[in-house]
Amino acid sequence: MKNALYLFLLIICFNVNAQIQKVEPPFWWTGMKMSEIQVLVYGEDISNLQPKIDDSRIKLTSVDRVQNENYIFLNLEISKDAQPGWVEINFYKGKKRKYNYSYQLLKRNKNANLVKGFDNSDVMYLITPDRFANGDSENDELPEMKEKLGDGNNDRHGGDLQGIIDHLDYIKDLGFTSIWLNPALENNMERFSYHGYSTTDYYKIDPRFGNNKLFKELSYKASEKGIKIIMDVIPNHCGSEHWFFKDPPTQDWFNNQNNYKNTTHNREAVQDIHAAEIDKSEHHDGWFVETMPDLNQGNSFLSKYLIQNAIWWIEYATLAGLRVDTYPYADKDFMSDWTKAIMDEYPKFNIVGEEWTTNPAITSYWQRGKVNHDGYVSHLPSLMDFPLQSALTEALNDDFGWGKGFVKSYKALANDFLYADPFNLVVFPDNHDMTRFFTQINNDLDLFKMGIIYYSTIRGIPQFYYGTEILMDSNKNPGNHGLIRSNFPGGWPGDQVNAFTGSGLNKNQIETLRFFKKLLNWRKNNEVIHYGKLIQFAPKFAEEIYSYYRTYNDKKVWVIFNRVDKTQVIDLNHFEEVHNGFKSGYEVLQEKKIILNDKLEIKGKSAMIIELSK
Ligand code: CA
């Protein structure tokens, strides 16, 4: 009898909300700076109903109806002193209540607005969740998800959030303090969905990675170990299987909505003072690829939707940062509004944008505080430093002679005057879209280490891709993205090599793992590298010696590189302006004391990190 009653109630409840398929954001918080929100309600002919709220905690200030009658947008104002709980939204047809939805107001994380974003004290570990570790084989294939497992480079391999949670200690022991996770939102695409850049639901973690609760748990467990979580977000486009692409709210929800046109990738048109209008529009209105429709952020409903979505995830999972995909492809005025809204809500937060260019004039255009030629005001705190990445790889690989080698990275760094805040740039040797660093420098372990030392001690926030610490390469096919994002050894049951335990690693891999551990853990505890002033000395062309100092309060660290394959003797008098008074030092990697009289010997193809002492 009891069961029958329960079933009856279940049927009633089901019918009550049968028409409402989506409510986004699905809940909000009390005490947010953003207390006026827009709630998208999706359901058949929903716009023909009249929504009403009779509750002092939420005021329904207005209702917006759009071309598609399956959508209605409710503008809600949450009272400043509202207590958490459920607020009924009723939908009437005439005088008859047809449906209701209980909208939840959650209690806010007490200090959420003070959450500190990633900064110079951090080192980021970039993970492609499908490829790091399979912590739960039960979620590998799910009936509701279109793409199943496969063993090809571009197939799904089964990695998930549980796999990351299980190996947080490995990441922590290496000395990393933050994780940038490639996108983990639902990508219910037919194929090629493992990378996560084709969102099909903005409010749902892909069930093959876990669920929203598990994502929150990852953030919580990571923070307990001193690791911050950085979410990868894509305001520019979604996946062509997104439910709102199949039934768009308006005729202008997407650019080229009914007529796919690819972007030209002419990103320079954004800054070009001579640009033709068509080049600007073909760049930012074109689709990234055919399966990624281009969102029109000029639509005010969509703009608000995307801003709220980012804030929702930061609040929900207590994130410490966002990485923004394809930054210059979206509407730039929208990106300014989007970043401003986030930074207003979380003043200590950090957001890093991807602008893939080797031209620092273009990169610097997007950084907060930059005074631009066209008056564009950006609120984006950080950018990926692609110009420095390409300069350093060239510097390491170059042959010898005038204008070659370290002079390239020296000059790249000398461009820092272009940036409003060069210290808040993310520096990296590679990422999920690039040939792996070990391959970039032709599997030369000495040059590899010099590069890692550079990124770990130069200004900025270092980021390394998972597996760099065990020399993962992309030798067989440098351009193949699926191969760059190979499975991390040890992440799958039965793996012959297990990098988590060290079993099966070769000598060079073990040595590199130790090297990373020593370097990053040293960096972790040295404010001079986090916040120190940078002074670089021009390379000596003939000898290929390059060095810089980081200085902070009374601490000085000297980082020196020798690119030629023979020992060099350096005249210390040249460095008198910073060496003055310092007579000895401690070399961090070799762990030995060094006397600094007037000469220093440095081995061929090596780098030294010397903490100076008097
Ligand atoms: Ca799995």
Side-chain angles (χ1 to χ4, degrees), residues 50-69:
Q50 190 59 46
K52 283 181 186 164
I53 297 175
D54 183 19
D55 193 305
S56 63
R57 290 170 293 177
I58 296 185
K59 185 178 165 195
L60 178 61
T61 51
S62 60
V63 175
D64 287 306
R65 293 176 172 82
V66 290
Q67 286 149 330
N68 187 334
E69 295 186 349

Side-chain angles (χ1 to χ4, degrees), residues 136-153:
D136 179 3
S137 56
E138 298 285 308
N139 63 17
D140 290 356
E141 296 191 339
L142 296 167
E144 71 272 27
M145 303 312 284
K146 293 174 183 129
E147 192 176 8
K148 311 298 178 195
L149 285 190
D151 50 17
N153 288 334

